[in-house]
Amino acid sequence: MDHGGHGMPGMHSDLPPFTLGRGLAFHGGDPFFLAGCVVLLALYGWGVFRLRRRGDRWPVGRTVAFGLGVVTVGVTMCTALNDYGMVMFSVHMVQHMILSMLSPILLLLGAPVTLALRALPTAGRGRTGPRELLVKLLHSRYLRVITHPAFTLPLFVASLYALYFSPLFDHLMGSRAGHIAMMLHFLAVGLVFFWPIMGVDPGPHRPGYVMRMLELFAGMPFHAFFGIALMMASEPMVSTFKHPPASLGIDPLNDQTAAGGIAWAFSEIPSVIVLVALLFQWYTSEQRQARRTDRAADRDGDAELVAYNAYLASLEARGRG
């Protein structure tokens, strides 16, 4: 099995028929993504260690979520899935869905921006360090634009229709650099789309919970329509996958139909995960607000309720008079 080619003719001509075991075989995969996964885990681990060393707590669930997010990227790009994804539309679509919808959600649940803000040291008066640069970025106009629904939703949709139904996809798949750029694009689009919806890390846009749910469900139907378009097509629609290696023993049209089914079905998974996360955040937010109200009532002797009762009493007295 050749693992070095990226879209070049003949480089994957000896791949055996796809099975899950063969697809998940680890062989180092793409060095760029392998190095990136190692760096992300190291930086996150450093942040957690720094907080623990000074006595601060960091939720284990966040660490687990971030770790799983990095693992999903690694499994997608550093196993034989990356080889099969170069010649099988169905496997490529699995990669696309994981990188754009599952990995971003898990990474965002890990709250990496919050961890960085808490772990990075302040540079001191009049100086600019990594923490100050991060704060400046979070408040920048650039980030306000790229995380706004008016930008993220069209970008999310264009990553499907404008990419696959134009020559751009074949062009990117023709080189290693193009393939890496496309996969990074999938991950980045997922991150900016789900970041304001998840609401775990600080960011420029923080709409209410109902608006976040509307944003979430506004994007999901486009995946279903895209999947249905692939499933109903009577001929292969993407040139890259028109002539799969004979060693795979697959029909390109059947493989395209499978890819459409994956795109259609996969949108339900992240929707459920994000919806559960939003409902949990909403519930905990209401609980915190209730506790704050109770504490305020304890401090001022429930002055607001006393004033309201006095107001009702004055109305009653006025009515009697």
Side-chain angles (χ1 to χ4, degrees), residues 169-198:
F169 180 84
D170 295 320
H171 175 72
L172 292 173
M173 288 290 280
S175 69
R176 180 175 181 274
H179 185 235
I180 290 175
M182 178 168 55
M183 294 302 183
L184 280 176
H185 170 78
F186 292 155
L187 184 61
V189 168
L191 286 170
V192 297
F193 178 75
F194 287 110
W195 185 6
I197 293 173
M198 299 294 290

mmCIF file of all heavy atoms in Angstrom, residues 169-198:
data_model
loop_
_atom_site.group_PDB
_atom_site.id
_atom_site.type_symbol
_atom_site.label_atom_id
_atom_site.label_comp_id
_atom_site.label_asym_id
_atom_site.label_seq_id
_atom_site.Cartn_x
_atom_site.Cartn_y
_atom_site.Cartn_z
ATOM 1 N N PHE A 169 -12.666 21.501 -6.420
ATOM 2 C CA PHE A 169 -12.380 20.284 -5.660
ATOM 3 C C PHE A 169 -11.319 19.440 -6.358
ATOM 4 O O PHE A 169 -10.344 19.007 -5.734
ATOM 5 C CB PHE A 169 -13.658 19.477 -5.462
ATOM 6 C CG PHE A 169 -13.456 18.207 -4.678
ATOM 7 C CD1 PHE A 169 -13.448 18.238 -3.286
ATOM 8 C CD2 PHE A 169 -13.265 16.995 -5.317
ATOM 9 C CE1 PHE A 169 -13.247 17.072 -2.556
ATOM 10 C CE2 PHE A 169 -13.069 15.823 -4.602
ATOM 11 C CZ PHE A 169 -13.061 15.864 -3.213
ATOM 12 N N ASP A 170 -11.485 19.201 -7.665
ATOM 13 C CA ASP A 170 -10.513 18.398 -8.414
ATOM 14 C C ASP A 170 -9.132 19.051 -8.403
ATOM 15 O O ASP A 170 -8.110 18.358 -8.299
ATOM 16 C CB ASP A 170 -10.982 18.205 -9.858
ATOM 17 C CG ASP A 170 -12.266 17.393 -9.935
ATOM 18 O OD1 ASP A 170 -12.399 16.420 -9.173
ATOM 19 O OD2 ASP A 170 -13.140 17.741 -10.750
ATOM 20 N N HIS A 171 -9.110 20.366 -8.486
ATOM 21 C CA HIS A 171 -7.836 21.089 -8.460
ATOM 22 C C HIS A 171 -7.125 20.885 -7.120
ATOM 23 O O HIS A 171 -5.914 20.603 -7.081
ATOM 24 C CB HIS A 171 -8.073 22.580 -8.717
ATOM 25 C CG HIS A 171 -6.840 23.415 -8.600
ATOM 26 N ND1 HIS A 171 -5.829 23.376 -9.534
ATOM 27 C CD2 HIS A 171 -6.456 24.308 -7.639
ATOM 28 C CE1 HIS A 171 -4.860 24.210 -9.157
ATOM 29 N NE2 HIS A 171 -5.219 24.787 -8.015
ATOM 30 N N LEU A 172 -7.854 21.014 -6.018
ATOM 31 C CA LEU A 172 -7.245 20.850 -4.700
ATOM 32 C C LEU A 172 -6.793 19.420 -4.453
ATOM 33 O O LEU A 172 -5.750 19.184 -3.836
ATOM 34 C CB LEU A 172 -8.243 21.277 -3.612
ATOM 35 C CG LEU A 172 -8.585 22.768 -3.556
ATOM 36 C CD1 LEU A 172 -9.709 23.031 -2.562
ATOM 37 C CD2 LEU A 172 -7.354 23.595 -3.194
ATOM 38 N N MET A 173 -7.574 18.466 -4.948
ATOM 39 C CA MET A 173 -7.220 17.060 -4.740
ATOM 40 C C MET A 173 -6.012 16.639 -5.576
ATOM 41 O O MET A 173 -5.452 15.560 -5.391
ATOM 42 C CB MET A 173 -8.410 16.169 -5.082
ATOM 43 C CG MET A 173 -9.553 16.230 -4.083
ATOM 44 S SD MET A 173 -9.166 15.468 -2.495
ATOM 45 C CE MET A 173 -9.407 13.732 -2.889
ATOM 46 N N GLY A 174 -5.578 17.491 -6.492
ATOM 47 C CA GLY A 174 -4.467 17.154 -7.371
ATOM 48 C C GLY A 174 -3.102 17.367 -6.774
ATOM 49 O O GLY A 174 -2.095 17.031 -7.400
ATOM 50 N N SER A 175 -3.021 17.922 -5.564
ATOM 51 C CA SER A 175 -1.716 18.145 -4.937
ATOM 52 C C SER A 175 -1.814 17.951 -3.432
ATOM 53 O O SER A 175 -2.894 18.082 -2.846
ATOM 54 C CB SER A 175 -1.210 19.560 -5.242
ATOM 55 O OG SER A 175 -2.006 20.533 -4.573
ATOM 56 N N ARG A 176 -0.705 17.643 -2.833
ATOM 57 C CA ARG A 176 -0.671 17.440 -1.383
ATOM 58 C C ARG A 176 -1.018 18.737 -0.657
ATOM 59 O O ARG A 176 -1.791 18.736 0.310
ATOM 60 C CB ARG A 176 0.711 16.949 -0.959
ATOM 61 C CG ARG A 176 0.835 16.702 0.542
ATOM 62 C CD ARG A 176 2.185 16.111 0.902
ATOM 63 N NE ARG A 176 2.261 15.867 2.341
ATOM 64 C CZ ARG A 176 2.633 16.779 3.230
ATOM 65 N NH1 ARG A 176 2.964 17.993 2.823
ATOM 66 N NH2 ARG A 176 2.663 16.496 4.520
ATOM 67 N N ALA A 177 -0.448 19.852 -1.106
ATOM 68 C CA ALA A 177 -0.723 21.147 -0.466
ATOM 69 C C ALA A 177 -2.199 21.505 -0.579
ATOM 70 O O ALA A 177 -2.808 22.006 0.371
ATOM 71 C CB ALA A 177 0.139 22.238 -1.095
ATOM 72 N N GLY A 178 -2.788 21.244 -1.751
ATOM 73 C CA GLY A 178 -4.208 21.536 -1.941
ATOM 74 C C GLY A 178 -5.088 20.684 -1.047
ATOM 75 O O GLY A 178 -6.078 21.177 -0.483
ATOM 76 N N HIS A 179 -4.722 19.424 -0.899
ATOM 77 C CA HIS A 179 -5.495 18.518 -0.046
ATOM 78 C C HIS A 179 -5.423 18.962 1.412
ATOM 79 O O HIS A 179 -6.446 18.997 2.116
ATOM 80 C CB HIS A 179 -4.948 17.092 -0.203
ATOM 81 C CG HIS A 179 -5.745 16.073 0.535
ATOM 82 N ND1 HIS A 179 -5.189 15.205 1.460
ATOM 83 C CD2 HIS A 179 -7.059 15.771 0.502
ATOM 84 C CE1 HIS A 179 -6.140 14.421 1.950
ATOM 85 N NE2 HIS A 179 -7.271 14.744 1.389
ATOM 86 N N ILE A 180 -4.237 19.320 1.881
ATOM 87 C CA ILE A 180 -4.075 19.806 3.266
ATOM 88 C C ILE A 180 -4.889 21.083 3.465
ATOM 89 O O ILE A 180 -5.585 21.237 4.485
ATOM 90 C CB ILE A 180 -2.589 20.056 3.583
ATOM 91 C CG1 ILE A 180 -1.833 18.726 3.678
ATOM 92 C CG2 ILE A 180 -2.435 20.842 4.894
ATOM 93 C CD1 ILE A 180 -0.338 18.889 3.859
ATOM 94 N N ALA A 181 -4.815 21.999 2.494
ATOM 95 C CA ALA A 181 -5.554 23.263 2.598
ATOM 96 C C ALA A 181 -7.051 23.004 2.697
ATOM 97 O O ALA A 181 -7.758 23.658 3.487
ATOM 98 C CB ALA A 181 -5.232 24.162 1.410
ATOM 99 N N MET A 182 -7.557 22.050 1.896
ATOM 100 C CA MET A 182 -8.992 21.753 1.918
ATOM 101 C C MET A 182 -9.397 21.177 3.269
ATOM 102 O O MET A 182 -10.426 21.571 3.829
ATOM 103 C CB MET A 182 -9.338 20.773 0.799
ATOM 104 C CG MET A 182 -10.806 20.364 0.763
ATOM 105 S SD MET A 182 -11.261 19.497 -0.759
ATOM 106 C CE MET A 182 -10.065 18.169 -0.774
ATOM 107 N N MET A 183 -8.626 20.257 3.805
ATOM 108 C CA MET A 183 -8.960 19.648 5.091
ATOM 109 C C MET A 183 -8.887 20.671 6.226
ATOM 110 O O MET A 183 -9.721 20.673 7.137
ATOM 111 C CB MET A 183 -8.043 18.462 5.368
ATOM 112 C CG MET A 183 -8.240 17.306 4.402
ATOM 113 S SD MET A 183 -9.957 16.706 4.413
ATOM 114 C CE MET A 183 -9.880 15.328 3.296
ATOM 115 N N LEU A 184 -7.897 21.546 6.170
ATOM 116 C CA LEU A 184 -7.815 22.622 7.164
ATOM 117 C C LEU A 184 -9.025 23.548 7.050
ATOM 118 O O LEU A 184 -9.544 24.031 8.063
ATOM 119 C CB LEU A 184 -6.526 23.426 6.972
ATOM 120 C CG LEU A 184 -5.245 22.844 7.545
ATOM 121 C CD1 LEU A 184 -4.057 23.726 7.166
ATOM 122 C CD2 LEU A 184 -5.340 22.707 9.072
ATOM 123 N N HIS A 185 -9.452 23.799 5.823
ATOM 124 C CA HIS A 185 -10.632 24.640 5.595
ATOM 125 C C HIS A 185 -11.870 24.015 6.248
ATOM 126 O O HIS A 185 -12.643 24.709 6.918
ATOM 127 C CB HIS A 185 -10.857 24.812 4.089
ATOM 128 C CG HIS A 185 -12.155 25.459 3.738
ATOM 129 N ND1 HIS A 185 -12.382 26.815 3.841
ATOM 130 C CD2 HIS A 185 -13.337 24.914 3.306
ATOM 131 C CE1 HIS A 185 -13.614 27.094 3.481
ATOM 132 N NE2 HIS A 185 -14.227 25.964 3.149
ATOM 133 N N PHE A 186 -12.060 22.713 6.068
ATOM 134 C CA PHE A 186 -13.198 22.040 6.682
ATOM 135 C C PHE A 186 -13.185 22.242 8.201
ATOM 136 O O PHE A 186 -14.220 22.551 8.809
ATOM 137 C CB PHE A 186 -13.168 20.540 6.378
ATOM 138 C CG PHE A 186 -13.399 20.185 4.934
ATOM 139 C CD1 PHE A 186 -12.910 18.993 4.406
ATOM 140 C CD2 PHE A 186 -14.111 21.026 4.094
ATOM 141 C CE1 PHE A 186 -13.116 18.665 3.074
ATOM 142 C CE2 PHE A 186 -14.334 20.709 2.763
ATOM 143 C CZ PHE A 186 -13.833 19.522 2.251
ATOM 144 N N LEU A 187 -12.019 22.053 8.812
ATOM 145 C CA LEU A 187 -11.901 22.186 10.265
ATOM 146 C C LEU A 187 -12.146 23.624 10.708
ATOM 147 O O LEU A 187 -12.876 23.876 11.682
ATOM 148 C CB LEU A 187 -10.514 21.721 10.713
ATOM 149 C CG LEU A 187 -10.231 21.697 12.213
ATOM 150 C CD1 LEU A 187 -11.187 20.745 12.940
ATOM 151 C CD2 LEU A 187 -8.781 21.281 12.482
ATOM 152 N N ALA A 188 -11.557 24.581 9.988
ATOM 153 C CA ALA A 188 -11.700 25.995 10.351
ATOM 154 C C ALA A 188 -13.146 26.462 10.211
ATOM 155 O O ALA A 188 -13.660 27.189 11.073
ATOM 156 C CB ALA A 188 -10.784 26.858 9.483
ATOM 157 N N VAL A 189 -13.818 26.036 9.133
ATOM 158 C CA VAL A 189 -15.215 26.425 8.932
ATOM 159 C C VAL A 189 -16.083 25.884 10.061
ATOM 160 O O VAL A 189 -16.967 26.581 10.584
ATOM 161 C CB VAL A 189 -15.726 25.916 7.559
ATOM 162 C CG1 VAL A 189 -17.241 26.040 7.466
ATOM 163 C CG2 VAL A 189 -15.073 26.705 6.439
ATOM 164 N N GLY A 190 -15.841 24.640 10.451
ATOM 165 C CA GLY A 190 -16.595 24.061 11.561
ATOM 166 C C GLY A 190 -16.372 24.820 12.857
ATOM 167 O O GLY A 190 -17.310 25.056 13.629
ATOM 168 N N LEU A 191 -15.135 25.231 13.102
ATOM 169 C CA LEU A 191 -14.814 25.951 14.343
ATOM 170 C C LEU A 191 -15.512 27.309 14.397
ATOM 171 O O LEU A 191 -16.117 27.663 15.416
ATOM 172 C CB LEU A 191 -13.302 26.131 14.470
ATOM 173 C CG LEU A 191 -12.501 24.874 14.835
ATOM 174 C CD1 LEU A 191 -11.000 25.119 14.689
ATOM 175 C CD2 LEU A 191 -12.816 24.419 16.265
ATOM 176 N N VAL A 192 -15.445 28.079 13.314
ATOM 177 C CA VAL A 192 -16.063 29.417 13.351
ATOM 178 C C VAL A 192 -17.589 29.323 13.322
ATOM 179 O O VAL A 192 -18.280 30.225 13.826
ATOM 180 C CB VAL A 192 -15.554 30.328 12.205
ATOM 181 C CG1 VAL A 192 -14.068 30.583 12.343
ATOM 182 C CG2 VAL A 192 -15.883 29.750 10.840
ATOM 183 N N PHE A 193 -18.129 28.246 12.735
ATOM 184 C CA PHE A 193 -19.587 28.092 12.711
ATOM 185 C C PHE A 193 -20.116 27.727 14.095
ATOM 186 O O PHE A 193 -21.116 28.293 14.566
ATOM 187 C CB PHE A 193 -19.982 27.014 11.696
ATOM 188 C CG PHE A 193 -21.476 26.757 11.637
ATOM 189 C CD1 PHE A 193 -22.324 27.657 11.022
ATOM 190 C CD2 PHE A 193 -22.031 25.624 12.218
ATOM 191 C CE1 PHE A 193 -23.697 27.428 10.970
ATOM 192 C CE2 PHE A 193 -23.395 25.378 12.172
ATOM 193 C CZ PHE A 193 -24.231 26.287 11.547
ATOM 194 N N PHE A 194 -19.469 26.782 14.754
ATOM 195 C CA PHE A 194 -19.985 26.289 16.030
ATOM 196 C C PHE A 194 -19.530 27.114 17.239
ATOM 197 O O PHE A 194 -20.128 27.013 18.302
ATOM 198 C CB PHE A 194 -19.575 24.819 16.240
ATOM 199 C CG PHE A 194 -20.320 23.850 15.380
ATOM 200 C CD1 PHE A 194 -19.693 23.179 14.346
ATOM 201 C CD2 PHE A 194 -21.675 23.614 15.589
ATOM 202 C CE1 PHE A 194 -20.382 22.286 13.539
ATOM 203 C CE2 PHE A 194 -22.379 22.723 14.794
ATOM 204 C CZ PHE A 194 -21.732 22.060 13.759
ATOM 205 N N TRP A 195 -18.480 27.924 17.087
ATOM 206 C CA TRP A 195 -17.951 28.680 18.225
ATOM 207 C C TRP A 195 -19.023 29.564 18.878
ATOM 208 O O TRP A 195 -19.282 29.448 20.078
ATOM 209 C CB TRP A 195 -16.745 29.500 17.767
ATOM 210 C CG TRP A 195 -16.030 30.244 18.854
ATOM 211 C CD1 TRP A 195 -16.277 30.182 20.206
ATOM 212 C CD2 TRP A 195 -14.951 31.165 18.691
ATOM 213 N NE1 TRP A 195 -15.415 31.005 20.892
ATOM 214 C CE2 TRP A 195 -14.587 31.627 19.979
ATOM 215 C CE3 TRP A 195 -14.260 31.635 17.599
ATOM 216 C CZ2 TRP A 195 -13.563 32.540 20.179
ATOM 217 C CZ3 TRP A 195 -13.226 32.549 17.800
ATOM 218 C CH2 TRP A 195 -12.888 32.993 19.076
ATOM 219 N N PRO A 196 -19.681 30.477 18.144
ATOM 220 C CA PRO A 196 -20.701 31.303 18.799
ATOM 221 C C PRO A 196 -21.923 30.502 19.246
ATOM 222 O O PRO A 196 -22.599 30.881 20.198
ATOM 223 C CB PRO A 196 -21.073 32.337 17.723
ATOM 224 C CG PRO A 196 -20.650 31.731 16.435
ATOM 225 C CD PRO A 196 -19.492 30.846 16.721
ATOM 226 N N ILE A 197 -22.205 29.388 18.555
ATOM 227 C CA ILE A 197 -23.362 28.574 18.931
ATOM 228 C C ILE A 197 -23.105 27.840 20.240
ATOM 229 O O ILE A 197 -23.966 27.799 21.116
ATOM 230 C CB ILE A 197 -23.696 27.572 17.806
ATOM 231 C CG1 ILE A 197 -24.177 28.312 16.560
ATOM 232 C CG2 ILE A 197 -24.759 26.579 18.263
ATOM 233 C CD1 ILE A 197 -24.382 27.431 15.343
ATOM 234 N N MET A 198 -21.904 27.273 20.371
ATOM 235 C CA MET A 198 -21.566 26.519 21.590
ATOM 236 C C MET A 198 -21.519 27.438 22.812
ATOM 237 O O MET A 198 -21.997 27.090 23.886
ATOM 238 C CB MET A 198 -20.220 25.816 21.423
ATOM 239 C CG MET A 198 -20.182 24.799 20.281
ATOM 240 S SD MET A 198 -21.249 23.393 20.551
ATOM 241 C CE MET A 198 -20.396 22.579 21.877
#
